[in-house]
Amino acid sequence: MMWLLLFQIALVFITIHSILNAYQLFRVQNWFDFVYRLSLCAAALTLLFNPIPI
């Protein structure tokens, strides 16, 4: 059960990091990387709120 908690903490870290990176990329208008970071954030949030049943 501890691994699940660590996985969720990692997902929160990935979400925060990708949001901050996406904001920086938005400011410099690097659109491809901006969309990539937002999709990474969406994937992390999806796994965080809809975990895969084991």
Side-chain angles (χ1 to χ4, degrees):
M1 203 61 171
M2 185 67 164
W3 63 271
L4 183 61
L5 178 64
L6 291 175
F7 184 68
Q8 288 177 335
I9 290 171
L11 287 176
V12 169
F13 178 77
I14 289 170
T15 302
I16 293 170
H17 188 261
S18 61
I19 288 172
L20 293 176
N21 262 350
Y23 176 70
Q24 289 174 346
L25 292 168
F26 176 76
R27 291 186 66 200
V28 297
Q29 296 182 351
N30 189 345
W31 301 115
F32 180 78
D33 287 339
F34 171 71
V35 172
Y36 170 74
R37 295 295 177 187
L38 283 184
S39 65
L40 185 65
C41 176
L45 286 174
T46 301
L47 283 176
L48 188 62
F49 292 116
N50 298 320
I52 300 170
I54 297 174

